[in-house]
Amino acid sequence: MISAPDVVAFTREEELEDDLYREPPLPEEYSVPLFPFAGQGANPWAKVAGSKFTRDFILISEFSEQVGPQPLLTIPDDAKVSGTFDLNYFSLRIMSVDYQASFVGHPPGSAYPKLNFVEDSKVVLGDSKEGAFAYVHHLTLYDLEARGFVRPFCMAYISADEHKIMQQFQELSTEFSKASECLKTGNRKAFANELEKKLKDLDYTRTVLHNETEQQKKANDKGYYTTQAIEKANELASVEKSIIEHQDLLRQIRSYPYRKLKDSEFHPYEPECALERAGVGSDQDPAASDPAEPGETHLYTHVPSYTPKLIKAKSAKCFDKKLKTLEELCDVYFFTQTLDQLHHIERTFRGDVCYLLTEQISRALLKQQSVTNFLFEDVSFLDEKPPEKQYRGCQGLGQGAMDEKCLEESLAPKVVISLGSYKSSVECVPIKMEQEMEDSEEPKMAESVMSEHQENLDYLDADIKGSISSGESIEVLGTEKSGSGLTKSESQASLPVMPSPQAGRSKVGSRRTVSEDSIEVLSTCPSEALIPEDFKASYPSAINEEPYADDDEGGLRFTPRANLADDGQDDVSKQESLVQVDAACCIGKESPNFLEPLPELGQKPCEEDGVVRIPPQPYRAEQGLRGGFPSHEGLSAGLLPYELDSRYLSGSREVSKSSLDECSDSTSYISSAASTCSDRTPSPAHLGSAAGERHRKRAGQNALRFIRQYPFAHPAIYSLLSGRTLVVLGEDEAMVKKLVTALSIFVPSCGVYAKPVKHWVTSPLHLVDFQKWKLIGLQRAVSPAGVNVLHALSRYSRYLSILDADSKTLRCPLYKGAVVARLADHRTQIKRGSTYYMHVQSILTQLCSKAFLFAFCHHLHLPISEREPEESVVHRRMNFLKLQLGLANEDVKIVQYLAELLKLHYIQEPGQGGNPLLRFDYVPSFLYKI
Amino acid sequence: MLRWLIGGGREPQGLAEKSSVQTIGEEQIQNPYTELLVLKGHQDIVRFLVQIDDCRFASAGDDGIIFLWNAQTGEKLYELHGHTQKITAIAPFSSSDGTEERNDLIITASADRTVIIWDCASGRQVQKVSCLHSTVKCLTVLQRLNVWLSGGSDLCVWNGKLDLLCKTSHLTDAGVSALVELPKNCVAAAVGKELIIFRLSASNNGSEGWNILEVKRLVDHEDNISSLVSVNDLTFVTGSHIGELIVWDALDWTKQASECNFWDSSVHPDVQPEIKLSQSPHETSVQHLASDEECVFAAVGKGIYVYNLQMKRVIACQRAAHDSSVLHIEKLPNRQLISCSEDGSVRIWELREKQQLPAEPVPTGFFNMWGFGRANKQANQAAKKMHENTPVYFLELVGDLIGHSSAVQMFLYFGELGLATCSADHLIILWKDGERESSLRSLTLFKKLAQNGDLQLKL
């Protein structure tokens, strides 16, 4: 943990969980109010004190065709959160900035209604009056009973902090996309089911009608048709037409190209996927896709048998019927998954943006310290699989569906497609961000991607044409976004080759997966150029309807990052965008304050002294490369060549975020929701899990208590830092465990696995235990077995420091250094466990870097010339430790030990575990008493 | 204080005044072993360690499994299964079949009455003999003749291909307990109280045939011979259970000198009688002998003794070197001595020489058994008996290695690579010089850095 603790010194943590260490509260009359307006949830750092809600929340709204925009639910689902904030009004606001094209109906030239697979749109919206800023994510769900079969929804992350929204846009976007994708997947399933039922109904109705007609025919032999008969015949005809239409819809919904998240956590069970794949696969032969055919229905056997109903010719008026709820629209399973995801988002982004960013930066930096970070950090979550993999997985599966189609034509495209789409999906992101660095290589890559795509266009086109329609518009803009990193000539060169606009779009569709990071909703407009004329009319020009764009500070915005990076935007989009871009421009231009700092972001290295003088900025890879950390720079760059890769940027982002994801500290934060300013409660960012978070907090508290309570805390900590096993001996298990927990934060890890800490042992210790564990809680028992335990302890006393929790004594070597004194000052002003934990981490990080320097300085360990005697090397080594690193006395041993661990870790072959070493010194021990 | 705290130190309090075992504190400046590796694998007592080459050794014990280890890394190279019962003897054997490359083999004998030859390079069983009449208790390789001998109830001579060349008649049920090679194609075998000299002679009717003949029986020992060691081409030494030490001429097998009961008043007439009485036969047994050119080092009971061959007397001793019987003793090149014992500790001693000045108090180590190093009258008297110009030697404890939780059966000194000890607690511990290991790791680290090409980027 690199971040300076003072940044978060003011964060609150609940101390309820550790009642033992809770200090009695200050009497009310002595306490100074922090903030004059300190009410529920107010805090002096709140940027918009006037906001009407106490903390960030997520709002889901719908544009109901019956009642207009309406809020559906908030997360957290707590009335207190939104407070006096007008959800209805805000729903109206956020629903009014929907740019996604929700066109459905009978496009001219088409016999049947077309579904359109609309991409989500992502907008940032501000309302200074309300003091609310929101990331708004629009999505469309299908509903057979809805007008045009679509129901527009949106999810919004609402915060009082504008900067938070802007700076976390990427992360929010990714997270919300997951949620949206989950919802939509469930919705497609539900929609398909609904269609099937409807088809069965229609089929049944047709049969009934048919029979009636036949009967009438038989009954009346007058030779002419009665009006009744004609009516029936008409009805029959319309039912048949309806059947065909619905069949077509079903085919469309099933042929939806499953592109991503197919096998992610949202679809944990296999049958689901298999089913959907089968569904997709089934329409490779459109004729066979008739769901009424028994051959197909077996795929949906899990659907409970459905008794068809007779459908009346005239459906009810639309205002009479009750619209489906969101839960009904999606599968229940997917709905709960989505809610989980949204809760997770809420937790992840909880807290001050400063904290979030610091967290991200420190995480990214930590990740760079690949050589040393295993010592005191929990690296298990730093090593998360790179995002590419996730995409690859999803791509692979989605691609698999396509491949089936391609199979018919040729085997070759299969490979090419998946490769191409994979590459495009991965590489689009960094191109934009690091154009200045990467433009020498990337275009080539992209070029090959492009050309590969070209080859496949035909195949793709042939297959998707049917179902993909004007909804592609946003995907098209995706092209331009992702293409914007390419050199101009590049994208232009590729365009003319396209056989038709549709082919171009389908190509884009496959690239589109990742280009979601292309933030601008605004580029929707240019993309219209690529939409066939007849479709254009149906596009609502939502931007023009945005009423606040001009007069309001917090108008619609887009993150300028992307724009700045690729200011040389491709001409295509520029030219085209002029048409409607006025609205777009006014939105963008209004936040100069935000635009400004960004260009210099990369150049500004982190402050070395750990005190944050500038507000934290989102982490950029350049920071690492431009000498923020001279010691690690060259090496880490070399050690991890991929860091130089442009992918690293996105990688670090992804990772930092996905590790944030893990902190599902639900219990503690739900409980904290009741506390006053829970809004600014730091999100449990760097922790692997709720347990981890609490553990650290408690460990910090216990450690603080320990150093205050025990005057001999220093030698005890020194023992741990220098690799001497510390045994905490006591009768009371809880007390021993508490001490062990407290001290565990000082134990360096030996590898990437868990810390070498054993909380409770009752059997005699052996030498092997000291190899494995560096901190052991040991039971003192009066039984004969207990005597053995003690005997073993005295036998191996030279390898051990023994802290007797019962008689409060410590037997361990002398410590006269300075490092531990800083680490564990018993007069420290730090009050909170997590703050102290961070303090410890920052000092330990300093130690780590010293150890790193020591271990990796060539001349300290090897003679400079052939003839140099070993003594002079030793002398140089000691000089370095004492003079250069400024270590005194026993501190040298700490650094030596850490360096030894680094060496061992570095030279260890990844495959083999390696024998654990036990290093020790023959030094006398002393007995400390209180 | 701690001892009180945690209930007793190394020795129970009551014993403290009685015990004369020298202890060394936790500060051991001269002890180089500051790093250890625990090698796990055996499931029973590990009794034997043999060195194969510069960096490999084999271990064997009661579980019948033989492990090959890398002495540098502690890596387990091979696990050799073949014996069904405990291993009784093990010997390294390098057969050079006329080719330039050396082929490292080990011969193991087990209580299941089999002998197996293993190839150390491949970890495979080369050959196995299972038609033995008795358990082989000792193995000796006569590298010069390219044959090896096994001693059980009889003595057999084998060649490298495991062909039985010849054998003696049945000697005794107890069997040969120790074998040592002597000059002129002779071997000495300890059979009970007797020492039998055999001579190998080439048979007339074959190129590779050998005959074995009993040449002489030496019956000078009063008790079973427990250890047998060859000092040089001219002398070998035997020790018996009741503490007799006899130095023999290796050529004509005559007794050159003997030291009987050298723990008692014959050497140190001033020893209090009760100490002598307290010594049970077991405590006087010569467990192991080691030697260099000048001296024989004897592990007798709990003590270690240095017997000078020229002076024909014990020049230094540590009567209570360990808490329990000393099982193995070895002389290191640097005048140091290592001993291991049933008490689970390994101790490092240094043989120091101190020029005796008249009337100067005898230093601590020499007559340690009388107390805690206070010079007393008796010591002075004893010292005066010596020649004025004789250097006085004493054994000083320079370090101890505590790791095993049970008797340390044997150890193997690997020079720079460290020390391997094996024990009844099923473990083998590799003791290493921490400084050296650390710098070796640095070397490896920079090699790896260079390999990965990380050094260039630093510029």
Side-chain angles (χ1 to χ4, degrees):
Chain A
M1 178 66 222
I2 295 166
S3 61
D6 42 355
V7 173
V8 282
F10 306 109
T11 56
R12 163 173 299 255
E13 76 190 36
E14 63 287 349
E15 286 165 55
L16 296 168
E17 39 196 274
D18 207 344
D19 45 1
L20 254 169
Y21 286 161
R22 191 164 37 163
E23 285 163 23
L26 207 62
E28 191 61 40
E29 60 268 31
Y30 297 123
S31 64
V32 180
L34 270 177
F35 183 56
F37 311 106
Q40 282 285 309
N43 99 28
W45 288 273
K47 288 198 175 67
V48 187
S51 68
K52 292 174 180 163
F53 49 95
T54 53
R55 55 188 282 195
D56 297 0
F57 65 98
I58 294 170
L59 171 68
I60 300 183
S61 304
E62 183 200 357
F63 196 102
S64 162
E65 59 192 61
Q66 291 172 350
V67 297
Q70 61 171 353
L72 294 181
L73 56 102
T74 60
I75 292 167
D77 192 11
D78 185 359
K80 247 191 284 176
V81 169
S82 50
T84 58
F85 187 66
D86 188 350
L87 288 179
N88 279 311
Y89 168 72
F90 207 75
S91 293
L92 172 68
R93 287 287 322 269
I94 57 180
M95 287 313 291
S96 64
V97 290
D98 185 4
Y99 299 113
Q100 56 183 352
S102 33
F103 166 78
V104 166
H106 295 256
S110 164
Y112 309 123
K114 291 277 178 199
L115 282 184
N116 100 64
F117 298 108
V118 183
E119 287 295 317
D120 300 349
S121 74
K122 297 150 189 186
V123 186
V124 170
L125 175 133
D127 188 337
S128 60
K129 261 185 244 160
E130 295 283 328
F133 296 88
Y135 164 86
V136 186
H137 193 108
H138 294 101
L139 69 151
T140 311
L141 299 181
Y142 301 111
D143 183 357
L144 201 52
E145 286 152 28
R147 189 196 300 159
F149 306 132
V150 289
R151 302 266 302 267
F153 284 90
C154 89
M155 302 180 285
Y157 185 89
I158 301 168
S159 168
D161 186 358
E162 166 185 14
H163 290 276
K164 183 167 172 179
I165 302 287
M166 298 312 275
Q167 302 197 10
Q168 301 295 313
F169 187 92
Q170 291 286 324
E171 290 78 5
L172 282 168
S173 159
T174 316
E175 292 302 307
F176 273 103
S177 296
K178 281 186 202 163
S180 155
E181 212 51 48
C182 182
L183 267 185
K184 289 196 286 188
T185 310
N187 173 244
R188 281 194 299 274
K189 275 181 62 64
F191 188 60
N193 281 340
E194 205 188 346
L195 273 172
E196 272 179 42
K197 286 182 187 172
K198 186 72 184 275
L199 273 169
K200 281 180 186 163
D201 288 348
L202 286 170
D203 204 39
Y204 177 69
T205 315
R206 182 177 63 179
T207 323
V208 171
L209 282 175
H210 192 71
N211 288 344
E212 284 175 2
T213 321
E214 289 299 310
Q215 277 173 359
Q216 278 184 348
K217 263 187 202 164
K218 278 177 198 156
N220 99 44
D221 33 9
K222 289 172 195 162
Y224 64 92
Y225 294 109
T226 59
T227 44
Q228 208 181 11
I230 292 168
E231 228 167 68
K232 278 275 182 260
N234 281 343
E235 208 172 319
L236 189 61
S238 78
V239 165
E240 263 161 8
K241 180 166 178 270
S242 179
I243 286 177
I244 292 169
E245 279 177 10
H246 281 83
Q247 278 174 353
D248 191 63
L249 281 176
L250 187 63
R251 191 181 59 76
Q252 284 179 40
I253 195 76
R254 280 185 180 164
S255 66
Y256 180 81
Y258 291 92
R259 296 179 321 232
K260 52 182 174 176
L261 293 168
K262 210 42 200 317
D263 54 348
S264 70
E265 68 258 42
F266 298 127
H267 308 257
Y269 45 89
E270 193 54 36
E272 199 86 43
C273 288
L275 187 73
E276 291 185 348
R277 286 194 63 182
V280 170
S282 75
D283 85 333
Q284 52 184 337
D285 182 5
S289 75
D290 188 347
E293 279 185 25
E296 286 299 311
T297 43
H298 76 274
L299 292 168
Y300 290 84
T301 43
H302 73 290
V303 177
S305 60
Y306 175 69
T307 335
K309 292 189 294 276
L310 192 65
I311 292 180
K312 287 190 188 127
K314 281 178 184 145
S315 58
K317 281 271 185 284
C318 80
F319 285 102
D320 299 341
K321 69 186 175 200
K322 185 181 161 290
L323 284 174
K324 288 195 186 68
T325 63
L326 187 56
E327 196 168 352
E328 284 164 349
L329 276 177
C330 311
D331 200 78
V332 180
Y333 168 77
F334 286 97
F335 183 69
T336 38
Q337 289 282 318
T338 310
L339 283 189
D340 287 350
Q341 166 70 4
L342 290 177
H343 274 116
H344 163 76
I345 293 174
E346 195 272 325
R347 276 193 304 275
T348 309
F349 293 97
R350 184 184 296 171
D352 198 276
V353 63
C354 173
Y355 184 84
L356 289 176
L357 289 174
T358 313
E359 206 48 59
Q360 283 165 7
I361 292 168
S362 79
R363 170 174 310 282
L365 290 176
L366 257 184
K367 206 172 144 52
Q368 279 205 328
Q369 292 182 317
S370 56
V371 179
T372 60
N373 59 14
F374 75 95
L375 281 176
F376 293 103
E377 308 291 338
D378 191 358
V379 286
S380 52
F381 57 89
L382 284 177
D383 300 337
E384 288 190 347
K385 55 176 180 181
E388 292 99 301
K389 270 190 189 160
Q390 288 177 356
Y391 282 115
R392 192 201 315 233
C394 308
Q395 282 282 329
L397 224 158
Q399 213 61 56
M402 268 190 199
D403 290 345
E404 287 179 37
K405 298 183 226 162
C406 295
L407 249 167
E408 290 180 357
E409 336 241 348
S410 139
L411 281 173
K414 181 154 74 170
V415 184
V416 185
I417 287 176
S418 53
L419 179 70
S421 56
Y422 165 61
K423 282 213 167 160
S424 65
S425 66
V426 173
E427 248 112 53
C428 286
V429 184
I431 290 170
K432 233 182 320 185
M433 306 290 181
E434 294 189 324
Q435 202 180 14
E436 67 274 39
M437 295 174 63
E438 300 292 340
D439 47 12
S440 55
E441 320 165 20
E442 288 301 328
K444 275 180 220 152
M445 193 95 81
E447 187 164 24
S448 64
V449 171
M450 288 296 235
S451 57
E452 276 162 5
H453 268 293
Q454 295 304 324
E455 294 170 29
N456 303 312
L457 289 179
D458 302 324
Y459 303 114
L460 289 171
D461 184 33
D463 291 299
I464 312 177
K465 217 183 330 194
S467 58
I468 291 186
S469 67
S470 62
E472 288 290 318
S473 59
I474 303 226
E475 295 193 341
V476 174
L477 89 92
T479 342
E480 278 148 9
K481 268 331 285 170
S482 47
S484 65
L486 313 175
T487 55
K488 211 178 297 172
S489 59
E490 199 57 50
S491 46
Q492 280 175 346
S494 63
L495 281 172
V497 195
M498 296 179 188
S500 75
Q502 270 208 334
R505 258 178 270 127
S506 59
K507 164 200 164 216
V508 164
S510 67
R511 305 184 104 233
R512 168 74 185 151
T513 342
V514 186
S515 58
E516 251 157 10
D517 63 306
S518 57
I519 305 151
E520 290 102 319
V521 188
L522 309 165
S523 340
T524 318
C525 335
S527 69
E528 285 210 43
L530 288 177
I531 302 168
E533 278 302 320
D534 39 31
F535 287 0
K536 213 183 236 171
S538 61
Y539 270 80
S541 46
I543 293 167
N544 289 336
E545 290 162 12
E546 162 57 54
Y548 299 95
D550 284 323
D551 56 32
D552 203 327
E553 254 277 274
L556 179 77
R557 296 193 183 164
F558 57 91
T559 316
R561 259 182 230 160
N563 261 6
L564 288 173
D566 49 15
D567 46 359
Q569 287 260 9
D570 36 330
D571 293 6
V572 191
S573 79
K574 248 192 187 146
Q575 294 161 359
E576 321 284 19
S577 61
L578 286 177
V579 188
Q580 272 189 319
V581 90
D582 49 348
C585 286
C586 63
I587 290 157
K589 75 188 174 199
E590 280 170 356
S591 49
N593 59 330
F594 185 68
L595 290 168
E596 205 172 43
L598 279 160
E600 60 200 19
L601 237 183
Q603 283 84 357
K604 201 173 260 177
C606 287
E607 296 289 50
E608 265 289 353
D609 56 5
V611 177
V612 180
R613 303 219 178 95
I614 49 164
Q617 301 291 338
Y619 177 77
R620 297 293 182 97
E622 296 97 282
Q623 283 179 345
L625 297 174
R626 290 189 192 167
F629 286 79
S631 64
H632 286 52
E633 175 191 329
L635 190 94
S636 62
L639 290 178
L640 304 167
Y642 61 81
E643 290 188 354
L644 286 170
D645 195 316
S646 60
R647 243 169 293 180
Y648 178 64
L649 179 72
S650 62
S652 70
R653 278 177 178 286
E654 281 300 327
V655 166
S656 62
K657 188 161 29 44
S658 51
S659 33
L660 279 171
D661 296 355
E662 293 208 355
C663 17
S664 47
D665 190 2
S666 54
T667 46
S668 81
Y669 281 96
I670 283 167
S671 70
S672 80
S675 75
T676 45
C677 54
S678 51
D679 179 23
R680 307 300 156 184
T681 310
S683 65
H686 59 294
L687 301 176
S689 65
E693 154 80 340
R694 275 198 298 279
H695 169 79
R696 271 156 208 237
K697 206 178 286 172
R698 194 178 305 134
Q701 264 163 357
N702 290 358
L704 209 49
R705 178 55 57 113
F706 173 76
I707 60 169
R708 291 204 177 114
Q709 232 175 25
Y710 292 85
F712 47 71
H714 290 184
I717 292 168
Y718 163 68
S719 285
L720 293 171
L721 287 177
S722 59
R724 190 178 170 111
T725 301
L726 181 72
V727 175
V728 180
L729 184 68
E731 281 173 17
D732 178 21
E733 183 174 351
M735 185 168 151
V736 170
K737 279 186 173 172
K738 185 162 284 177
L739 273 172
V740 170
T741 313
L743 289 166
S744 64
I745 63 173
F746 303 105
V747 181
S749 303
C750 302
V752 290
Y753 309 107
K755 286 216 170 198
V757 175
K758 183 87 178 162
H759 281 81
W760 187 244
V761 177
T762 53
S763 55
L765 297 173
H766 289 285
L767 191 67
V768 189
D769 298 321
F770 313 138
Q771 280 188 315
K772 231 186 306 178
W773 311 114
K774 293 296 170 195
L775 177 59
I776 304 174
L778 183 66
Q779 182 186 36
R780 165 190 271 137
V782 279
S783 62
V787 172
N788 281 342
V789 167
L790 295 179
H791 191 76
L793 216 52
S794 73
R795 178 178 178 82
Y796 296 119
S797 62
R798 66 175 55 176
Y799 306 120
L800 301 174
S801 296
I802 300 164
L803 176 64
D804 190 325
D806 298 328
S807 60
K808 307 248 187 288
T809 56
L810 172 74
R811 183 187 175 277
C812 76
L814 204 62
Y815 174 73
K816 296 194 295 285
V819 167
V820 177
R822 272 195 294 142
L823 194 62
D825 181 5
H826 64 96
R827 288 165 307 194
T828 179
Q829 296 299 313
I830 297 173
K831 295 280 190 302
R832 306 201 186 286
S834 56
T835 316
Y836 181 68
Y837 181 81
M838 288 181 176
H839 169 72
V840 169
Q841 289 286 294
S842 67
I843 290 189
L844 291 180
T845 307
Q846 278 178 32
L847 271 180
C848 284
S849 50
K850 283 182 179 174
F852 174 85
L853 271 183
F854 177 65
F856 284 83
C857 272
H858 190 274
H859 68 283
L860 296 179
H861 301 279
L862 302 177
I864 291 170
S865 65
E866 289 282 317
R867 286 160 293 135
E868 190 176 24
E870 181 62 27
E871 292 79 50
S872 82
V873 180
V874 171
H875 182 70
R876 191 162 58 226
R877 191 154 58 214
M878 289 318 284
N879 259 350
F880 179 82
L881 284 168
K882 285 183 174 151
L883 304 176
Q884 310 279 330
L885 296 184
L887 299 168
N889 304 323
E890 277 78 19
D891 292 342
V892 169
K893 280 198 181 145
I894 297 178
V895 169
Q896 277 175 334
Y897 174 68
L898 295 181
E900 212 59 44
L901 289 180
L902 290 181
K903 281 192 232 169
L904 279 168
H905 186 71
Y906 186 79
I907 62 180
Q908 188 188 340
E909 296 298 327
Q912 62 202 48
N915 275 319
L917 291 172
L918 179 64
R919 287 173 65 80
F920 48 90
D921 291 310
Y922 296 104
V923 288
S925 287
F926 294 87
L927 187 72
Y928 294 86
K929 286 191 267 187
I930 283 190
Chain B
M1 197 65 211
L2 175 83
R3 296 206 172 129
W4 172 80
L5 174 78
I6 63 173
R10 178 167 302 137
E11 304 90 20
Q13 292 256 278
L15 276 170
E17 57 269 14
K18 212 163 67 183
S19 166
S20 55
V21 176
Q22 192 184 356
T23 53
I24 183 166
E26 287 178 328
E27 193 163 13
Q28 301 174 11
I29 302 157
Q30 292 184 71
N31 189 343
Y33 301 108
T34 54
E35 189 173 310
L36 62 83
L37 267 174
V38 176
L39 312 183
K40 283 186 275 192
H42 284 287
Q43 277 128 44
D44 208 335
I45 300 174
V46 191
R47 291 187 190 273
F48 303 101
L49 294 174
V50 285
Q51 184 166 358
I52 295 164
D53 54 23
D54 289 342
C55 65
R56 285 185 297 170
F57 68 94
S59 65
D62 288 2
D63 55 4
I65 309 169
I66 300 115
F67 286 93
L68 296 189
W69 306 92
N70 182 327
Q72 171 57 39
T73 62
E75 188 189 351
K76 189 189 291 175
L77 301 171
Y78 292 109
E79 194 173 330
L80 311 178
H81 293 269
H83 291 296
T84 54
Q85 287 183 42
K86 67 177 187 179
I87 309 285
T88 51
I90 181 167
F93 182 46
S94 61
S95 74
S96 47
D97 308 330
T99 55
E100 66 283 351
E101 65 183 69
R102 209 172 73 142
N103 194 8
D104 287 314
L105 303 171
I106 43 174
I107 310 169
T108 57
S110 158
D112 61 7
R113 297 188 183 179
T114 57
V115 171
I116 298 179
I117 299 186
W118 309 89
D119 183 3
C120 296
S122 64
R124 261 185 250 130
Q125 182 174 323
V126 178
Q127 253 166 335
K128 179 173 182 174
V129 182
S130 48
C131 54
L132 299 170
H133 299 299
S134 65
T135 300
V136 173
K137 290 193 173 162
C138 54
L139 292 165
T140 296
V141 174
L142 307 185
Q143 206 71 60
R144 194 164 40 87
L145 306 177
N146 206 17
V147 295
W148 55 275
L149 288 80
S150 67
S153 62
D154 49 13
L155 192 66
C156 305
V157 183
W158 313 79
N159 68 5
K161 299 189 186 74
L162 218 62
D163 301 322
L164 181 61
L165 301 177
C166 57
K167 59 187 267 185
T168 62
S169 56
H170 184 79
L171 296 167
T172 158
D173 286 338
V176 178
S177 62
L179 275 172
V180 70
E181 183 186 0
L182 299 178
K184 297 200 259 176
N185 291 358
C186 291
V187 288
V191 182
K193 295 177 188 178
E194 294 181 334
L195 191 66
I196 308 176
I197 310 291
F198 294 97
R199 170 168 283 155
L200 283 165
S201 57
S203 66
N204 303 324
N205 53 350
S207 56
E208 228 202 332
W210 292 93
N211 284 328
I212 188 156
L213 295 170
E214 183 181 324
V215 184
K216 195 167 184 181
R217 266 176 201 252
L218 306 165
V219 288
D220 296 75
H221 277 294
E222 289 173 18
D223 202 342
N224 287 338
I225 296 168
S226 54
S227 52
L228 176 62
V229 67
S230 164
V231 177
N232 51 32
D233 278 354
L234 300 173
T235 37
F236 68 99
V237 187
T238 55
S240 78
H241 274 303
I242 52 162
E244 303 152 304
L245 183 89
I246 300 180
V247 183
W248 305 90
D249 188 308
L251 296 173
D252 57 7
W253 317 301
T254 53
K255 190 155 89 173
Q256 282 188 336
S258 75
E259 187 78 50
C260 296
N261 306 332
F262 54 80
W263 59 90
D264 68 13
S265 50
S266 65
V267 179
H268 310 295
D270 326 286
V271 172
Q272 288 101 328
E274 69 270 16
I275 290 181
K276 189 191 170 190
L277 287 174
S278 74
Q279 303 207 312
S280 68
H282 178 67
E283 284 179 328
T284 61
S285 157
V286 181
Q287 308 275 356
H288 189 244
L289 289 169
S291 74
D292 60 5
E293 287 295 309
E294 294 172 14
C295 298
V296 174
F297 306 92
V300 183
K302 294 176 183 177
I304 50 179
Y305 294 81
V306 182
Y307 181 86
N308 190 296
L309 289 170
Q310 279 181 334
M311 289 186 266
K312 298 195 172 172
R313 63 180 184 84
V314 173
I315 56 162
C317 73
Q318 194 61 258
R319 196 164 276 259
H322 284 271
D323 291 324
S324 182
S325 291
V326 180
L327 296 177
H328 197 85
I329 187 168
E330 205 80 60
K331 169 77 166 52
L332 307 188
N334 53 357
R335 290 188 75 77
Q336 281 186 343
L337 206 59
I338 298 182
S339 62
C340 68
S341 149
E342 280 180 355
D343 65 7
S345 67
V346 177
R347 295 186 158 206
I348 306 165
W349 308 87
E350 188 159 301
L351 187 63
R352 296 214 173 140
E353 184 178 320
K354 187 142 196 172
Q355 202 64 44
Q356 178 79 31
L357 295 173
E360 190 188 309
V362 175
T364 319
F366 192 78
F367 294 112
N368 184 275
M369 54 174 294
W370 286 295
F372 292 97
R374 285 189 306 274
N376 57 26
K377 265 195 169 177
Q378 290 145 343
N380 267 331
Q381 285 164 5
K384 275 174 193 164
K385 287 190 173 180
M386 298 171 188
H387 297 290
E388 290 292 304
N389 57 351
T390 311
V392 171
Y393 294 93
F394 64 97
L395 283 170
E396 189 180 297
L397 183 61
V398 295
D400 62 346
L401 308 177
I402 294 176
H404 290 291
S405 55
S406 186
V408 181
Q409 297 289 337
M410 196 180 173
F411 60 85
L412 203 57
Y413 178 70
F414 266 98
E416 272 200 319
L417 292 187
L419 184 75
T421 57
C422 66
S423 154
D425 62 6
H426 313 176
L427 298 179
I428 298 164
I429 298 182
L430 266 180
W431 303 84
K432 290 172 165 291
D433 182 348
E435 288 290 311
R436 184 177 173 274
E437 293 301 311
S438 175
S439 59
L440 280 179
R441 275 194 287 272
S442 285
L443 206 63
T444 321
L445 177 110
F446 291 115
K447 268 187 200 151
K448 191 168 175 183
L449 272 176
Q451 244 174 34
N452 296 358
D454 293 333
L455 290 173
Q456 281 75 29
L457 277 162
K458 266 185 170 173
L459 301 173

